[in-house]
Amino acid sequence: MTVHGRPRRTARRVRITGCGIRPGLLNPRPPEEPMKSVQLYDTTLRDGTQGEGFQLSMLDKLRIAQRLDAFGVDYIEGGWPGSNPKDIEFFQEAKKLDLAHAKLAAFGSTRRAGMAVGDDPQVRLLLEAETPVVTIFGKSWDLHVTEVLRTTAGENQAMIRDTVRHLKTHGREVVYDAEHFFDGYKASPEHALATLKAAAEGGADVLVLCDTNGGTLPSEVMQICRAVTEAIPGTPFGIHTHNDCELAVANAIAAVKAGGVQVQGTINGYGERTGNCNLTSVIPILQLKMGIEVVPELEQLKSLSYFVDDVSNNPHFARAPFVGRTAFAHKGGMHVNAVQKLARSYEHIEPGAVGNTQQILVSELSGQMNILLKAEKLGLGLEKGSPEAKSVLARVKDLEHEGYSFEAAGGSLELLIRKETASYEKPFELKEFHTSYRLYRDGHDPVCEATVKVHVGDEAEYTVAEGRGVVNALDKALRKALKPFYPEIAEVSLLDYKVRIIDGHDATAAKTRVLVVSGDGKSTWGTVGVSENIIEASWIAIVDSLDLFLQRHRAKLPQTETV
Amino acid sequence: MTVHGRPRRTARRVRITGCGIRPGLLNPRPPEEPMKSVQLYDTTLRDGTQGEGFQLSMLDKLRIAQRLDAFGVDYIEGGWPGSNPKDIEFFQEAKKLDLAHAKLAAFGSTRRAGMAVGDDPQVRLLLEAETPVVTIFGKSWDLHVTEVLRTTAGENQAMIRDTVRHLKTHGREVVYDAEHFFDGYKASPEHALATLKAAAEGGADVLVLCDTNGGTLPSEVMQICRAVTEAIPGTPFGIHTHNDCELAVANAIAAVKAGGVQVQGTINGYGERTGNCNLTSVIPILQLKMGIEVVPELEQLKSLSYFVDDVSNNPHFARAPFVGRTAFAHKGGMHVNAVQKLARSYEHIEPGAVGNTQQILVSELSGQMNILLKAEKLGLGLEKGSPEAKSVLARVKDLEHEGYSFEAAGGSLELLIRKETASYEKPFELKEFHTSYRLYRDGHDPVCEATVKVHVGDEAEYTVAEGRGVVNALDKALRKALKPFYPEIAEVSLLDYKVRIIDGHDATAAKTRVLVVSGDGKSTWGTVGVSENIIEASWIAIVDSLDLFLQRHRAKLPQTETV
């Protein structure tokens, strides 16, 4: 079964009628497009945004929705109109999206206790979103029915049944999210199953079992899912997990093994508390490990992951499975050696399958091989055994001995290689700099000042700048000096700055290592400086950063992500 | 079965003889200390350091080792002497550690192919580390035996058998790590089992099955572990997983369910590529979900997690299961309401069980509890509910809001408590300081100068000093000013110095946090300073460090290790 090269859906698929939907099929499909055995349901835009540090504007949501659709996700839960008025607007705007495949879902709650479903304003909002799919959640745990909803089991089940039926009558595909299902089942299996049955009776297209608290173990998930399929064989089930035990992905996989047809989650695992099920990990597991094809171009996975991070202004998690920068990075000398001999021996999948690359980290544990590979990846071609290669290697070893570390400072390493190989031209010559910091304890603001003398060709620049700190002042003074010659410098900003003391236990010989991460809005690169004092170390890292930028700019190379 | 209040081990336990060890027992124990059913094996210091961005100095490793021991970890894998010369030094220094419970393990490889084990220099280094435990890894996958080792299956098994036997003869407890075991088993079960049998024949105390590539699924782990226990019932097995599929924790749990007695992993999941099995998640799952007690004070979990982050100069992952800042933070309006009504309804465990707190409802009582416990440990007796206690709590909250983190800066916290409780006397008053740094590129040495104005009682001191850097100059100028009044200051040295930018993505509002570790030859303590600029932040941390030293000195207290 392949999903490659499937035809674009026509616009009329945006409205799915309720008629003719057979149990077991989520929606009718043209014969040339076989049903996937597992549907991907993305709630990045809704459940994801309930997490801290993950906020999206209207434009962000629309952009993400388009990327999700292009990637092959089946459902996009766009928001909760009854809870967030901005989401009402989103669903209006979203109608203009030309989605090729994914179906938009509006999320909300069952009708209120004691209220007719037709009178419930929140349910009305769900219909007014005019999405093909509506997802509602209901209480499965008797504890919540009595203590939180303050109603009876019977009324709760009526709430579920009525709301599902109402939405089906209005032509919606209905996804029923059984909140706290696993805790509820453990507390009272009969009660939990009764709530599911109510949804099934209402006509729900799928029953999604939610591990809302994130505390269930995979073996329990497997067992309870099986109990559900036995008790309610007529309606397919799905899974919605949370990562409170670091088991969200494992729980989703367990549910699929038990027969689940839908996995709900978010890109990069964003979400409340510890996050939702991380689709970025589930998707490649399904496709590469379990032989269940879910997306047409899995190689777009890393790009999608990075996109969602960037749009939400979050850093990329370097150690993220599959898509992380270091997911396939080898450091230990032993591993690196073996990798050369047998690429697959230390990689569980081929990195390119998810759009990632093998990264070689240069560190005290590795040798010449790493440098050559790094140069090759940068397109700088060092000949093995050549004078240049030996020179680079010797320089790297010396610097590492002095305390340099190039692991997160691939930019400095690249610059070093360029200095030995390509036609490197020094863009500026530093003559002198000075920093001054005066702190008064009697109310005056502290004063941080830096002066810089640089030469560019025959011309000299002598500048002064103030800053929030001496390194900031120095950085500003340097840029001030270079700007007349290299206006493009304005694109570069300092994004991160880390300092470590090396061999701090002997303070006399202690050195300071500064790592600077810079970016130009399109990519980032790391540079490093080491010195006995922090200002000179910072200076070295900052100068390297601008130097590298200018070298690539001159060579009209794209600024690339350098590890 | 409880592990609370277990007695300190006597020094003679450092050497474990091979005699009398029954299969199934890892080492003899006094009758009052029942065997835990699962042993925790921590490789933060070895496998953890193979990951990017996780480098530790000697002092860092020793501090972490002490914390791990205090927490209740059973094995601490300290390093790989044959690969990293610094690790040889670590094992020498580590002998001075007074470990209450944990056993140090030296890690290395089987003997080389075709070489007698007694002649192998790397094996000799393992013995010279003089640890009670030695862990060696061997090849389980026939592909690696032929393509990487370039030897025969028979020789490979001899390498394993010989090396284990050799180490047992020398009185070591031997942990055998079966590298790539699951891939190897899938490729050829007979071959993989044969390598395990060789280790068992050599006398290995435990056979640890390693999912080195991190690509195995939990169901496969469970199945293969069961096959191992069937084929080799005489020797217990353990598990070592990696997170390449985001299943490291799930795989470890599966192995324990299948009868595994040892879990190897790292704190916070540090490690190569996507990291090792995250013990910070496994431990609470074992103890709170599976009823397997593994540590005496699980409430110390978050503190340990933060400590390792701070010592390695890494940020805390806010969404980390159990210990993350947002692990129990509720944002969604619905959840907050329900939490109010029924605290456990939206939390899978009680946050305090792992030393964490519920974010929305930070009750005055629970926040205060942590401070009280800390004060008690320091012998400073804060009365619960007293004005002093409330004052300390309020101050800590304010400072944390500004970016302070006291996890690895217990010295600053102690000083804060002293300021509110004991008869704290301010040893000196800072009036003003100034730093200047001038760098010449034409051969002159750089000039780093600092001036300091302090008052001690009625007397003023105005000093100037030069240093290798401005912080060093400032430190020297301050000591120069204080020495006439407090000659004991001469005993204190600055051992380590770490800097982080907090909220670095918005550079305008970024703050700098400096962590300083000081020592007087007998103990070490950490202090912290936060400011928008690095010099003031360093100043705060340095002043706190000297202040605390003087307070204890005045009270004639022994300087204690404050974590």
Side-chain angles (χ1 to χ4, degrees), chain B residues 113-238:
Chain B
M115 182 183 278
V117 65
D119 294 338
D120 191 308
Q122 187 260 155
V123 175
R124 189 165 51 246
L125 281 175
L126 283 174
L127 287 170
E128 282 170 7
E130 292 186 330
T131 51
V133 183
V134 171
T135 300
I136 53 157
F137 69 91
K139 302 290 182 196
S140 325
W141 193 353
D142 53 3
L143 177 76
H144 277 197
V145 173
T146 52
E147 299 301 314
V148 179
L149 288 186
R150 307 257 164 106
T151 190
T152 64
E155 172 62 5
N156 180 48
Q157 285 157 44
M159 285 155 64
I160 295 168
R161 194 181 305 109
D162 291 354
T163 315
V164 174
R165 188 170 286 148
H166 184 76
L167 296 163
K168 292 300 297 176
T169 309
H170 282 79
R172 303 303 191 265
E173 177 177 340
V174 176
V175 174
Y176 175 70
D177 280 1
E179 212 200 26
H180 286 104
F181 187 77
F182 298 92
D183 288 314
Y185 185 94
K186 288 185 208 175
S188 164
E190 304 76 29
H191 179 275
L193 288 172
T195 64
L196 280 191
K197 282 172 185 162
E201 282 159 21
D205 293 279
V206 64
L207 309 172
V208 178
L209 315 178
C210 305
D211 184 24
T212 310
N213 279 358
T216 313
L217 301 184
S219 51
E220 298 171 323
V221 168
M222 176 85 77
Q223 178 212 333
I224 293 172
C225 286
R226 287 194 174 129
V228 165
T229 47
E230 271 184 47
I232 309 170
T235 310
F237 79 93

Side-chain angles (χ1 to χ4, degrees), chain A residues 348-404:
Chain A
H348 72 114
I349 61 165
E350 210 265 298
V354 291
N356 209 340
T357 50
Q358 201 189 69
Q359 291 281 13
I360 304 285
L361 294 175
V362 182
S363 82
E364 64 198 14
L365 295 179
S366 53
Q368 200 185 92
M369 191 65 72
N370 287 351
I371 306 287
L372 295 179
L373 281 168
K374 190 104 190 167
E376 200 188 309
K377 278 190 195 296
L378 293 168
L380 290 171
L382 274 179
E383 281 288 325
K384 187 172 167 181
S386 66
E388 291 86 6
K390 289 184 178 175
S391 179
V392 168
L393 183 65
R395 186 91 186 102
V396 168
K397 278 201 184 320
D398 285 345
L399 289 171
E400 284 185 339
H401 188 74
E402 281 181 43
Y404 278 78

Side-chain angles (χ1 to χ4, degrees), chain A residues 246 281 433 435 437 439 504 507, chain B residues 246 281 433 435 437 439 468 495:
Chain A
E246 204 167 330
S281 291
F433 76 78
T435 68
Y437 175 81
L439 178 74
Chain B
E246 204 168 331
S281 292
F433 76 77
T435 68
Y437 176 82
L439 179 76
R468 294 181 321 276
L495 300 179

